[in-house]
Amino acid sequence: MIWLWPSSLQLQIVLRPRFAGQSEPLLRAGAVLAGLVVGIPLLLTMLGFDAGQATMALVRGSIGSMYALTSGTLVRATPVILTGLSVAIAFRAGVFNIGAEGQLLVGAAAAAGASLLPGIRTSHASPWIALAAGGVAGGAWAGIAAFLRRRFRVLEVISTILLNFVAANLVGFLVRGALQEPLHIYPQSAAIALAARLPRILPGSRLHAGFLVALAAAGLAWWVIRYTAAGFRLRAVGANADAARIAGEINVARTTTSAFIVSGALAGLAGAIELTGVTFALYENISPGYGYTGIAVALLARLDALGVIASGLLFGALEAGASAMQRDAGVPSVVVLVVEALIILGLIVAWPLQMGAPSGNREEAVAGERRAQEEGA
């Protein structure tokens, strides 16, 4: 009966994947917090600023009060959660969508156009119509790059980056032309009506219903990716497109195109939420780079939809705190951006990214591929 007792080596083999999957998020969170606690004061000191005063300003501006938390951190986190989710879904399918910024801008422009239509602008359904218009526009804008990839084999990294510039110039053209405010003085659209704005969640704060939309989108994406056939196809294609096509009989082109369009729709939704919940008008530079920040958010979350919420909240807090640090302590906000970049680079080196099966889902993806091979045989 001695064979019933597993050896220490057998215990390591059995338990290591389980506990590794459970401890890795804690290790990553600890590494991020350690990097922030040590990196920001150290960099401030090296640059000649008062590290204590600047750090306290950053904390006060992000989580120092209920107003700072709700009107600063959570409002800033909303668009980056959606753009991070956009990037994560695309990357999970092996599609390198770098165009979330352009898709966000197009979504904001479409939302502005829909909100200013005579028959819609005073309707109670106006904000939700604007969100739908933004999502459709973002998906269509991503569809251009998806078509170029599928039909002409154009690398999506190149096409999406170039489409970002096209989208930025398109917004500039609109706010100086068809959507410019009636007096034609400022390069921006007219302000949308009160009925077209997203409702506030908490009285006395700037937190709007778009935050709940972002949380719902992340939860739905996590469920779809984890528990549906479409999610399995997406993970399988991202893990190994050749195996998915040959053994799993998955239409790789259709899967990647669908992921591309959904990714663009989420980024467009972020732009629509920003317009109907925060700015209330379309203008140039409506996005301070939320689409590019979404790439960092997705990578920090290791392409996990629920992890995007946590990393999005972190980046929202850092951006809100950076503004307060610049305002109250005279420290350039780019200092925080430098620390963010260094932390992300360090994490990517320490935990190499697996596109198809991040974190604890690797074993699940491998098992899924084996099942697909057996069924194909």
Side-chain angles (χ1 to χ4, degrees), residues 61-79:
S62 57
I63 58 174
S65 66
M66 181 59 67
Y67 183 82
L69 176 63
T70 56
S71 299
T73 296
L74 298 185
V75 170
R76 292 290 189 96
T78 299

PDB file of all heavy atoms in Angstrom, residues 61-79:
ATOM      1  N   GLY A  61      -4.988  63.064  -5.101  1.00  0.00           N
ATOM      2  CA  GLY A  61      -5.713  63.255  -6.347  1.00  0.00           C
ATOM      3  C   GLY A  61      -6.361  62.010  -6.892  1.00  0.00           C
ATOM      4  O   GLY A  61      -7.232  62.092  -7.764  1.00  0.00           O
ATOM      5  N   SER A  62      -5.980  60.835  -6.391  1.00  0.00           N
ATOM      6  CA  SER A  62      -6.523  59.584  -6.917  1.00  0.00           C
ATOM      7  C   SER A  62      -7.492  58.913  -5.948  1.00  0.00           C
ATOM      8  O   SER A  62      -8.607  58.548  -6.327  1.00  0.00           O
ATOM      9  CB  SER A  62      -5.383  58.624  -7.263  1.00  0.00           C
ATOM     10  OG  SER A  62      -4.567  58.396  -6.127  1.00  0.00           O
ATOM     11  N   ILE A  63      -7.085  58.758  -4.698  1.00  0.00           N
ATOM     12  CA  ILE A  63      -7.926  58.055  -3.725  1.00  0.00           C
ATOM     13  C   ILE A  63      -8.024  58.814  -2.411  1.00  0.00           C
ATOM     14  O   ILE A  63      -8.450  58.261  -1.399  1.00  0.00           O
ATOM     15  CB  ILE A  63      -7.389  56.633  -3.457  1.00  0.00           C
ATOM     16  CG1 ILE A  63      -5.941  56.692  -2.956  1.00  0.00           C
ATOM     17  CG2 ILE A  63      -7.495  55.778  -4.705  1.00  0.00           C
ATOM     18  CD1 ILE A  63      -5.386  55.334  -2.541  1.00  0.00           C
ATOM     19  N   GLY A  64      -7.633  60.081  -2.408  1.00  0.00           N
ATOM     20  CA  GLY A  64      -7.593  60.837  -1.169  1.00  0.00           C
ATOM     21  C   GLY A  64      -8.947  61.220  -0.620  1.00  0.00           C
ATOM     22  O   GLY A  64      -9.072  61.558   0.554  1.00  0.00           O
ATOM     23  N   SER A  65      -9.973  61.187  -1.431  1.00  0.00           N
ATOM     24  CA  SER A  65     -11.327  61.526  -0.988  1.00  0.00           C
ATOM     25  C   SER A  65     -12.314  60.790  -1.870  1.00  0.00           C
ATOM     26  O   SER A  65     -11.954  60.264  -2.936  1.00  0.00           O
ATOM     27  CB  SER A  65     -11.559  63.038  -1.065  1.00  0.00           C
ATOM     28  OG  SER A  65     -11.523  63.486  -2.414  1.00  0.00           O
ATOM     29  N   MET A  66     -13.572  60.778  -1.438  1.00  0.00           N
ATOM     30  CA  MET A  66     -14.599  60.120  -2.243  1.00  0.00           C
ATOM     31  C   MET A  66     -14.767  60.817  -3.587  1.00  0.00           C
ATOM     32  O   MET A  66     -14.965  60.173  -4.618  1.00  0.00           O
ATOM     33  CB  MET A  66     -15.924  60.104  -1.476  1.00  0.00           C
ATOM     34  CG  MET A  66     -17.058  59.409  -2.229  1.00  0.00           C
ATOM     35  SD  MET A  66     -16.681  57.669  -2.633  1.00  0.00           S
ATOM     36  CE  MET A  66     -16.641  56.954  -0.996  1.00  0.00           C
ATOM     37  N   TYR A  67     -14.673  62.154  -3.573  1.00  0.00           N
ATOM     38  CA  TYR A  67     -14.809  62.882  -4.837  1.00  0.00           C
ATOM     39  C   TYR A  67     -13.638  62.552  -5.768  1.00  0.00           C
ATOM     40  O   TYR A  67     -13.832  62.371  -6.974  1.00  0.00           O
ATOM     41  CB  TYR A  67     -14.859  64.384  -4.572  1.00  0.00           C
ATOM     42  CG  TYR A  67     -15.071  65.198  -5.826  1.00  0.00           C
ATOM     43  CD1 TYR A  67     -16.340  65.371  -6.351  1.00  0.00           C
ATOM     44  CD2 TYR A  67     -13.989  65.768  -6.497  1.00  0.00           C
ATOM     45  CE1 TYR A  67     -16.533  66.100  -7.520  1.00  0.00           C
ATOM     46  CE2 TYR A  67     -14.173  66.494  -7.657  1.00  0.00           C
ATOM     47  CZ  TYR A  67     -15.443  66.661  -8.166  1.00  0.00           C
ATOM     48  OH  TYR A  67     -15.622  67.382  -9.322  1.00  0.00           O
ATOM     49  N   ALA A  68     -12.409  62.493  -5.216  1.00  0.00           N
ATOM     50  CA  ALA A  68     -11.254  62.154  -6.054  1.00  0.00           C
ATOM     51  C   ALA A  68     -11.388  60.758  -6.634  1.00  0.00           C
ATOM     52  O   ALA A  68     -11.043  60.512  -7.799  1.00  0.00           O
ATOM     53  CB  ALA A  68      -9.972  62.279  -5.235  1.00  0.00           C
ATOM     54  N   LEU A  69     -11.910  59.832  -5.828  1.00  0.00           N
ATOM     55  CA  LEU A  69     -12.057  58.458  -6.296  1.00  0.00           C
ATOM     56  C   LEU A  69     -13.112  58.347  -7.389  1.00  0.00           C
ATOM     57  O   LEU A  69     -12.873  57.742  -8.437  1.00  0.00           O
ATOM     58  CB  LEU A  69     -12.422  57.550  -5.120  1.00  0.00           C
ATOM     59  CG  LEU A  69     -12.706  56.085  -5.450  1.00  0.00           C
ATOM     60  CD1 LEU A  69     -11.478  55.411  -6.028  1.00  0.00           C
ATOM     61  CD2 LEU A  69     -13.190  55.337  -4.214  1.00  0.00           C
ATOM     62  N   THR A  70     -14.280  58.935  -7.156  1.00  0.00           N
ATOM     63  CA  THR A  70     -15.383  58.761  -8.098  1.00  0.00           C
ATOM     64  C   THR A  70     -15.257  59.683  -9.308  1.00  0.00           C
ATOM     65  O   THR A  70     -15.472  59.251 -10.446  1.00  0.00           O
ATOM     66  CB  THR A  70     -16.720  59.018  -7.392  1.00  0.00           C
ATOM     67  OG1 THR A  70     -16.721  60.330  -6.804  1.00  0.00           O
ATOM     68  CG2 THR A  70     -16.955  57.992  -6.307  1.00  0.00           C
ATOM     69  N   SER A  71     -14.911  60.945  -9.075  1.00  0.00           N
ATOM     70  CA  SER A  71     -14.868  61.921 -10.168  1.00  0.00           C
ATOM     71  C   SER A  71     -13.536  61.947 -10.895  1.00  0.00           C
ATOM     72  O   SER A  71     -13.444  62.495 -11.996  1.00  0.00           O
ATOM     73  CB  SER A  71     -15.178  63.326  -9.634  1.00  0.00           C
ATOM     74  OG  SER A  71     -16.467  63.373  -9.066  1.00  0.00           O
ATOM     75  N   GLY A  72     -12.506  61.373 -10.289  1.00  0.00           N
ATOM     76  CA  GLY A  72     -11.209  61.339 -10.922  1.00  0.00           C
ATOM     77  C   GLY A  72     -10.829  59.960 -11.398  1.00  0.00           C
ATOM     78  O   GLY A  72     -10.825  59.650 -12.589  1.00  0.00           O
ATOM     79  N   THR A  73     -10.566  59.070 -10.447  1.00  0.00           N
ATOM     80  CA  THR A  73     -10.036  57.748 -10.777  1.00  0.00           C
ATOM     81  C   THR A  73     -11.009  56.922 -11.607  1.00  0.00           C
ATOM     82  O   THR A  73     -10.641  56.376 -12.660  1.00  0.00           O
ATOM     83  CB  THR A  73      -9.673  56.997  -9.487  1.00  0.00           C
ATOM     84  OG1 THR A  73      -8.618  57.696  -8.828  1.00  0.00           O
ATOM     85  CG2 THR A  73      -9.243  55.578  -9.794  1.00  0.00           C
ATOM     86  N   LEU A  74     -12.255  56.804 -11.152  1.00  0.00           N
ATOM     87  CA  LEU A  74     -13.209  55.938 -11.851  1.00  0.00           C
ATOM     88  C   LEU A  74     -13.592  56.509 -13.219  1.00  0.00           C
ATOM     89  O   LEU A  74     -13.797  55.752 -14.171  1.00  0.00           O
ATOM     90  CB  LEU A  74     -14.456  55.719 -10.995  1.00  0.00           C
ATOM     91  CG  LEU A  74     -14.230  55.015  -9.658  1.00  0.00           C
ATOM     92  CD1 LEU A  74     -15.558  54.739  -8.961  1.00  0.00           C
ATOM     93  CD2 LEU A  74     -13.457  53.716  -9.844  1.00  0.00           C
ATOM     94  N   VAL A  75     -13.688  57.831 -13.318  1.00  0.00           N
ATOM     95  CA  VAL A  75     -14.000  58.441 -14.615  1.00  0.00           C
ATOM     96  C   VAL A  75     -12.852  58.232 -15.589  1.00  0.00           C
ATOM     97  O   VAL A  75     -13.067  57.909 -16.764  1.00  0.00           O
ATOM     98  CB  VAL A  75     -14.315  59.944 -14.436  1.00  0.00           C
ATOM     99  CG1 VAL A  75     -14.408  60.641 -15.787  1.00  0.00           C
ATOM    100  CG2 VAL A  75     -15.620  60.120 -13.667  1.00  0.00           C
ATOM    101  N   ARG A  76     -11.618  58.396 -15.105  1.00  0.00           N
ATOM    102  CA  ARG A  76     -10.459  58.168 -15.975  1.00  0.00           C
ATOM    103  C   ARG A  76     -10.306  56.694 -16.332  1.00  0.00           C
ATOM    104  O   ARG A  76      -9.796  56.354 -17.401  1.00  0.00           O
ATOM    105  CB  ARG A  76      -9.187  58.647 -15.271  1.00  0.00           C
ATOM    106  CG  ARG A  76      -9.078  60.145 -15.060  1.00  0.00           C
ATOM    107  CD  ARG A  76      -8.867  60.878 -16.372  1.00  0.00           C
ATOM    108  NE  ARG A  76      -8.561  62.278 -16.160  1.00  0.00           N
ATOM    109  CZ  ARG A  76      -7.340  62.801 -16.119  1.00  0.00           C
ATOM    110  NH1 ARG A  76      -6.296  61.999 -16.274  1.00  0.00           N
ATOM    111  NH2 ARG A  76      -7.163  64.081 -15.940  1.00  0.00           N
ATOM    112  N   ALA A  77     -10.729  55.807 -15.417  1.00  0.00           N
ATOM    113  CA  ALA A  77     -10.563  54.378 -15.666  1.00  0.00           C
ATOM    114  C   ALA A  77     -11.537  53.845 -16.699  1.00  0.00           C
ATOM    115  O   ALA A  77     -11.261  52.836 -17.361  1.00  0.00           O
ATOM    116  CB  ALA A  77     -10.729  53.598 -14.358  1.00  0.00           C
ATOM    117  N   THR A  78     -12.690  54.504 -16.861  1.00  0.00           N
ATOM    118  CA  THR A  78     -13.730  53.965 -17.750  1.00  0.00           C
ATOM    119  C   THR A  78     -13.243  53.764 -19.179  1.00  0.00           C
ATOM    120  O   THR A  78     -13.367  52.660 -19.730  1.00  0.00           O
ATOM    121  CB  THR A  78     -14.965  54.869 -17.710  1.00  0.00           C
ATOM    122  OG1 THR A  78     -15.475  54.911 -16.376  1.00  0.00           O
ATOM    123  CG2 THR A  78     -16.043  54.355 -18.649  1.00  0.00           C
ATOM    124  N   PRO A  79     -12.694  54.786 -19.859  1.00  0.00           N
ATOM    125  CA  PRO A  79     -12.262  54.545 -21.242  1.00  0.00           C
ATOM    126  C   PRO A  79     -11.089  53.584 -21.359  1.00  0.00           C
ATOM    127  O   PRO A  79     -11.007  52.824 -22.331  1.00  0.00           O
ATOM    128  CB  PRO A  79     -11.898  55.948 -21.751  1.00  0.00           C
ATOM    129  CG  PRO A  79     -11.609  56.735 -20.527  1.00  0.00           C
ATOM    130  CD  PRO A  79     -12.500  56.198 -19.464  1.00  0.00           C
TER     131      PRO A  79
END
